[in-house]
Amino acid sequence: STVTSEHELPKEETEKYIQDLISSDDTAEVLRKMFFHFSIDKEYEIEKLMEMSKQFPMQYLFTQVILDNEGRKVATVGSVEDDLEGNLVMHVSSKMSFSDFVLNMVMYEAHQKGKFTKESVMDFITDTPIIDDDRYSILEAGLDAYFNSNLLVAIHLIVPQIEDALRNLIEQAGGLVLKKSRGGGFHLRTLDELLRDKILIDALGEGLCFYLRVIFTDQRGLNIRNNLCHGNMQ
């Protein structure tokens, strides 16, 4: 079954909210504000989930089965009592459907005012030590595709570079990014493994690492990285 919900966005309050986020003349500050406003507070979301489970107890009592586009079972989520994390992933994923709509409005206004462009994002990126210089051309091509509304190309170019940057962060901090393979050599740890690494959790915070898992690697969430790499992105 499909569950839908409606949200009202008071025009004046929404416009003020957007302008507050993009008011700075410093593009880096605008991007930081967008990031912090639209990421999550994990503990707060757990509290909201528990409130909802008390308000709508039947919805959280039974196991839910998650299917892919071909109707194959890819994950199950138990009751909120037995599977808090699974329910939290689904809760955060559902919340994204609304917050992403608002984020798109913010990004559009920032773009209109020249504060969210390919050039400004590249300027921001080149200040970060965890992105290798030889990746700039790939990211620039991905941003070109994004700002030309070629989203399928953009996601295929940009998502692997996010994974590479997180891997660089762990490696620069002295962590391990390789693991033994069956053939006797080594291969790269998966993005999900990286996002559970203590170095990354200490650097980014448990809440952000959880949020990134919901977006990129959790089959109960958006699972963008895995769907993309397995050829399931549409």
Side-chain angles (χ1 to χ4, degrees):
S1 62
T2 300
V3 178
T4 61
S5 61
E6 294 184 1
H7 301 270
E8 280 194 15
L9 290 175
K11 184 177 179 181
E12 290 185 4
E13 290 181 23
T14 302
E15 288 178 351
K16 183 179 184 305
Y17 173 74
I18 292 172
Q19 294 308 315
D20 286 345
L21 281 181
I22 65 174
S23 60
S24 175
D25 292 328
D26 180 3
T27 293
E29 180 63 21
V30 171
L31 292 174
R32 280 191 288 267
K33 279 187 176 181
M34 288 166 59
F35 172 79
F36 285 112
H37 275 258
F38 290 96
S39 56
I40 65 161
D41 180 329
K42 185 179 179 183
E43 295 306 315
Y44 172 80
E45 296 303 337
I46 290 174
E47 289 179 13
K48 297 302 292 184
L49 172 63
M50 298 312 295
E51 288 176 11
M52 291 175 64
S53 70
K54 292 174 182 176
Q55 189 175 0
F56 308 103
M58 294 299 292
Q59 182 177 334
Y60 296 92
L61 281 177
F62 304 104
T63 297
Q64 301 178 65
V65 177
I66 301 173
L67 307 176
D68 67 10
N69 292 329
E70 302 297 326
R72 297 168 294 212
K73 182 170 76 170
V74 295
T76 58
V77 177
S79 69
V80 72
E81 182 177 342
D82 297 330
D83 187 6
L84 176 61
E85 180 168 299
N87 280 274
L88 184 61
V89 170
M90 293 187 67
H91 165 72
V92 171
S93 298
S94 176
K95 182 177 179 177
M96 284 182 192
S97 64
F98 173 69
S99 63
D100 286 357
F101 173 75
V102 180
L103 175 58
N104 282 333
M105 295 172 63
V106 173
M107 292 165 71
Y108 175 79
E109 287 297 320
H111 179 65
Q112 292 296 104
K113 295 183 182 301
K115 299 178 181 180
F116 182 61
T117 63
K118 181 189 78 172
E119 292 75 20
S120 65
V121 174
M122 286 303 302
D123 286 343
F124 182 73
I125 286 172
T126 53
D127 279 341
T128 221
I130 62 172
I131 297 178
D132 297 325
D133 293 356
D134 61 1
R135 302 308 175 104
Y136 293 160
S137 60
I138 302 173
L139 287 164
E140 189 168 4
L143 290 169
D144 266 330
Y146 172 79
F147 285 108
N148 285 305
S149 299
N150 194 345
L151 302 184
L152 193 61
V153 170
I155 199 170
H156 277 76
L157 290 172
I158 293 172
V159 169
Q161 303 315 311
I162 295 173
E163 180 171 344
D164 185 67
L166 294 173
R167 186 182 302 116
N168 286 344
L169 193 159
I170 290 176
E171 193 164 32
Q172 289 173 17
L176 298 176
V177 297
L178 297 172
K179 63 180 182 181
K180 288 185 177 180
S181 66
R182 287 190 296 270
F186 295 88
H187 57 210
L188 294 171
R189 296 169 66 197
T190 67
L191 178 56
D192 192 73
E193 289 170 332
L194 299 178
L195 289 169
R196 297 176 188 276
D197 191 289
K198 185 177 185 302
I199 290 175
L200 214 55
I201 291 173
D202 287 346
L204 304 181
E206 166 60 28
L208 179 54
C209 287
F210 171 80
Y211 188 55
L212 293 174
R213 294 201 307 269
V214 173
I215 295 172
F216 290 118
T217 66
D218 199 309
Q219 291 177 303
R220 301 161 299 185
L222 302 184
N223 201 28
I224 289 173
R225 183 270 183 198
N226 293 331
N227 285 332
L228 184 154
C229 293
H230 295 315
N232 294 330
M233 187 62 67
Q234 296 181 340

